Amino acid sequence: MPTLTPQRLALGVSLAGGLLLGGLAQAETLLRSVGNFSGNTLHVEGVERPFFEALDARDDLAVIYNPMDAIGVEAADALRLLRSGSFDVMSVQIGMASRDEPFFEGIDLAGVAPDLDAQREAIDAVRERFDERLQERFNAKLMTLWPFGPQMMFCNGDIQGVDDLEGKKVRVFTPSMSRLVQGLGAAPVTLQFSEVYLALQRGVADCGVTAPSAGNNGKWPEVTDTFVPLPLAYSVQGHFMNLDTWNRFDAAQQQELTEAFARLEEQMWELAYDVNDDAIACNTGQASCSDHQAYDMRLVEIDPASRALVEEIASEAVLPVWAETCSRQYPECAQAWNETVGDATGLSIQ
């Protein structure tokens, strides 16, 4: 169980000061809000729940908030649920929901961004195009975009490097991650986060990919013994609002909500930058561990050649297949990607 220190809880509570806004009382608008997986304790309890509680304290809003797994929502269905108006605000795992819009996966293609800074530059570059496409296809408004952090492998077995992944069953959660894992010689197994612990325990999967902090929160080190710190992607998430709900707000309310969600996004980026180094230390039994549960996984040393191999697979197997799939729905897909994410990462689709 991660330690919810006063500093961590303050991440969410500090949002309240910017949300409790003055002005004349207005008729309440109901926001049926779906949050992230409850197992992601630092994000859900430390930031997301306090944020929505602060929204609920406004005179013009009435907020109902639940983590997605608490109400049986499948992450892959998020875009359809938003478009139908089943919910007003949803935390969306973009890679899992991209089955309905391949362009969205382009924001976090496996093997493309070498680090968090590059991923942030890519997100900022594509944000406007992303929002336009989201409104056009799913009647939803982009409110936040942020990553869980570097997606690394929790494994069982004798693994000394990426060559030892040959034949391993690896839990993934996006199409491009499946292709990258196949390029490494492993067999991808697509599972929701809440399904992975039992899959690792029972041998359905030999490895699971997630952020170091998320895996620690989910107690994955209880059922794995080897940690492979090779970033495969960054698990970009977003908070999206149904466009009909958004349009019920006047200009002043929209501005206030835009600023509030921007602060929420910044808090999530701070977590991505701050918590994962500590989580790696805790997963692998290092003395610097402070804010996560301590375990004793073995830490695999990753050499530059491994990162070069990931980039090679991304260029040769991930990008071309994704571009072909995306262009069937969105003919300008490759051009839009090259002008945004491609420019930010130095890669291009030919």
Side-chain angles (χ1 to χ4, degrees):
M1 183 72 179
T3 303
L4 281 175
T5 65
Q7 291 81 10
R8 294 284 175 233
L9 285 172
L11 283 173
V13 175
S14 66
L15 292 165
L19 294 171
L20 300 177
L21 303 165
L24 296 175
Q26 299 174 348
E28 287 188 344
T29 297
L30 178 64
L31 286 184
R32 299 159 298 170
S33 304
V34 178
N36 219 288
F37 290 107
S38 59
N40 296 314
T41 315
L42 294 176
H43 298 79
V44 170
E45 301 300 333
V47 178
E48 203 174 57
R49 188 184 298 278
F51 171 81
F52 283 104
E53 287 175 349
L55 279 186
D56 187 51
R58 289 177 54 127
D59 292 336
D60 55 351
L61 294 177
V63 178
I64 300 171
Y65 169 81
N66 288 287
M68 66 176 69
D69 51 319
I71 54 175
V73 170
E74 297 286 332
D77 295 333
L79 294 175
R80 299 180 186 189
L81 293 169
L82 276 167
R83 182 168 55 191
S84 70
S86 298
F87 298 100
D88 300 295
V89 181
M90 295 192 72
S91 181
V92 179
Q93 205 294 318
I94 292 169
M96 294 192 76
S98 66
R99 67 178 188 183
D100 292 325
E101 178 50 71
F103 177 66
F104 293 163
E105 193 191 1
I107 203 170
D108 186 26
L109 289 171
V112 168
D115 53 44
L116 266 178
D117 288 340
Q119 182 62 69
R120 190 164 200 173
E121 188 175 349
I123 285 175
D124 289 341
V126 79
R127 190 183 298 266
E128 185 176 342
R129 295 279 186 95
F130 193 108
D131 190 27
E132 290 173 357
R133 189 73 176 162
L134 183 64
Q135 293 191 35
E136 175 188 337
R137 293 271 287 120
F138 296 98
N139 193 45
K141 169 73 176 169
L142 173 64
M143 304 305 294
T144 72
L145 285 172
W146 51 274
F148 267 119
Q151 301 297 292
M152 299 173 171
M153 283 178 278
F154 294 70
C155 291
N156 282 309
D158 184 17
I159 296 174
Q160 305 298 326
V162 293
D163 291 344
D164 297 319
L165 294 171
E166 181 80 32
K168 298 289 186 183
K169 297 168 289 186
V170 179
R171 176 265 177 166
V172 299
F173 53 89
T174 72
S176 67
M177 196 178 290
S178 292
R179 290 189 286 276
L180 179 59
V181 163
Q182 287 174 323
L184 293 171
V189 180
T190 300
L191 297 168
Q192 283 208 142
F193 184 85
S194 57
E195 300 170 319
V196 180
Y197 183 98
L198 284 178
L200 291 168
Q201 186 180 52
R202 296 173 179 176
V204 174
D206 301 304
C207 301
V209 179
T210 194
S213 181
N216 187 285
N217 294 347
K219 303 184 185 301
W220 291 14
E222 292 182 351
V223 290
T224 54
D225 54 31
T226 304
F227 186 78
V228 185
L230 177 66
L232 302 184
Y234 294 88
S235 189
V236 176
Q237 315 284 305
H239 289 88
F240 304 160
M241 184 180 293
N242 176 272
L243 198 56
D244 295 333
T245 303
W246 173 254
N247 288 332
R248 286 200 287 271
F249 297 114
D250 63 31
Q253 291 172 305
Q254 288 181 351
Q255 181 62 31
E256 291 165 357
L257 287 169
T258 297
E259 293 172 357
F261 275 94
R263 288 189 290 272
L264 171 64
E265 177 176 318
E266 185 59 31
Q267 302 282 20
M268 293 300 198
W269 274 100
E270 289 176 12
L271 280 179
Y273 276 107
D274 293 345
V275 304
N276 285 295
D277 285 346
D278 180 71
I280 292 173
C282 293
N283 291 337
T284 56
Q286 298 177 38
S288 61
C289 171
S290 61
D291 290 338
H292 293 76
Q293 177 68 44
Y295 295 98
D296 60 353
M297 299 181 73
R298 184 173 59 83
L299 180 65
V300 174
E301 295 294 329
I302 297 297
D303 58 21
S306 297
R307 175 61 207 171
L309 176 60
V310 166
E311 292 180 355
E312 179 183 344
I313 296 170
S315 295
E316 296 180 0
V318 173
L319 280 173
V321 174
W322 171 79
E324 182 180 355
T325 301
C326 181
S327 295
R328 295 192 195 109
Q329 281 194 17
Y330 182 24
E332 297 81 20
C333 177
Q335 179 183 347
W337 192 91
N338 283 338
E339 293 173 350
T340 55
V341 178
D343 281 351
T345 59
L347 298 176
S348 65
I349 298 168
Q350 304 302 319

